[in-house]
Amino acid sequence: MGTESFPKRVRALLRIRNRLARECLAELLSTFVLILITLSSSAQVVTSSGAKGNVLSGYMAGALAVMVAVYIGGGVSGAHLNPAFSFAMCLLEQFPWWKFPIFLAVQVSGAFVASGATYALYYDAIQNYTNGTLATYGPRETASIFATYPADYLSLSNGFLDQVMGTGLLILGILAIMDTRNKGVPKGLEPVAVALLVFSIEISMGSNCGCAINPARDFGPRLFTYVAGWGGDVFRWVEGRG
């Protein structure tokens, strides 16, 4: 009897009663999982020179990561995972404005920590692939493992339009999936529908900018590469990339 009550006592001690704290932890964990899977799939492709994956496998991993992340945090924080989505919810008065900067900070932090975890996981592979030189561009660049970079042909204005359209379509699709007045998705399968939405956007709009469609997904890992040794080029327009 005593052994059965001990886990209950531990759970009672560790239980977080503050609702905002629970939401932040759920958002942090779900964003961490999303970015960890997404970046790890990219690292596997890049460091193996395409022998262990390709663009399509990376897109599939990213979409499935969204599904897993929504299942993890959806019941607590709503699993926004994306500052653009949180902002849209504020505009629609479905999310309080005072929570927006908090969720923004948590989402970026989760992405930053996940980038560090990915770097640690693939440290040997990255060092082997780059011969110890962390580059933002060139034949052995590895910055694109973490953040998205535009194609060489892309102008700044076209890149801006690309991200606005992709992100707008993502938010529109999520709102349609969650709208109870529509035909509706079977209860419990909403994360699957969102993952399919993300996958459809990735395979149709990914060539210009890598289809970030998530400021936290891009800025958190980009900030990590800046402090981890890739340097200031990750924030600059370099040889047609920016």
Side-chain angles (χ1 to χ4, degrees), residues 5-24:
S5 61
F6 177 73
K8 293 181 181 179
R9 290 200 300 268
V10 172
R11 285 197 297 268
L13 288 172
L14 296 178
R15 183 179 180 184
I16 299 174
R17 292 173 173 80
N18 183 274
R19 180 178 177 180
L20 179 61
R22 291 201 306 269
E23 290 176 347
C24 288

Side-chain angles (χ1 to χ4, degrees), residues 40 47 73 94-95 113 116 129 132 144 161-162 169 186 205 226 235:
S40 293
T47 58
Q94 296 182 22
F95 190 68
V113 174
Y129 178 77
S144 62
L161 177 63
D162 177 270
L169 182 58
M205 299 182 180
Y226 174 74
F235 284 110

Side-chain angles (χ1 to χ4, degrees), residues 6 23 58 60 101 107 109 134 147 154 169 180 203 223 231 242:
F6 177 73
E23 290 176 347
M60 291 181 65
Q107 290 157 355
S109 298
L134 303 178
L154 199 69
L169 182 58
T180 56
I203 61 176
L223 182 61

Side-chain angles (χ1 to χ4, degrees), residues 33-235:
V33 170
L34 166 65
I35 304 305
L36 177 63
I37 296 175
T38 301
L39 299 189
S40 293
S41 68
S42 179
Q44 180 170 285
V45 173
V46 172
T47 58
S48 69
S49 299
K52 297 180 180 179
N54 51 35
V55 173
L56 183 59
S57 69
Y59 288 159
M60 291 181 65
L64 292 173
V66 170
M67 180 188 71
V68 174
V70 175
Y71 274 124
I72 289 173
V76 181
S77 68
H80 289 195
L81 311 173
N82 187 337
F85 182 74
S86 298
F87 184 73
M89 292 299 96
C90 291
L91 290 176
L92 296 173
E93 299 183 346
Q94 296 182 22
F95 190 68
W97 280 103
W98 66 268
K99 281 188 179 181
F100 174 69
I102 300 174
F103 266 47
L104 171 63
V106 169
Q107 290 157 355
V108 173
S109 298
F112 183 91
V113 174
S115 302
T118 303
Y119 184 54
L121 180 64
Y122 279 93
Y123 178 81
D124 288 346
I126 291 173
Q127 294 299 313
N128 177 70
Y129 178 77
T130 63
N131 292 320
T133 302
L134 303 178
T136 307
Y137 55 92
R140 291 284 173 173
E141 65 82 20
T142 46
S144 62
I145 289 175
F146 298 91
T148 57
Y149 291 85
D152 292 337
Y153 59 79
L154 199 69
S155 65
L156 183 61
S157 58
N158 200 175
F160 178 79
L161 177 63
D162 177 270
Q163 289 302 293
V164 169
M165 291 184 66
T167 306
L169 182 58
L170 172 68
I171 293 172
L172 176 63
I174 294 174
L175 292 176
I177 290 169
M178 302 306 295
D179 192 343
T180 56
R181 295 169 296 180
N182 282 340
K183 297 184 81 173
V185 177
K187 187 173 178 59
L189 292 180
E190 296 89 350
V192 178
V194 174
L196 291 173
L197 168 65
V198 171
F199 184 63
S200 68
I201 295 174
E202 287 176 329
I203 61 176
S204 62
M205 299 182 180
S207 63
N208 281 337
C209 294
C211 203
I213 58 175
N214 183 341
R217 179 261 176 272
D218 188 85
F219 180 72
R222 193 180 300 275
L223 182 61
F224 172 80
T225 54
Y226 174 74
V227 302
W230 276 265
D233 283 347
V234 299
F235 284 110

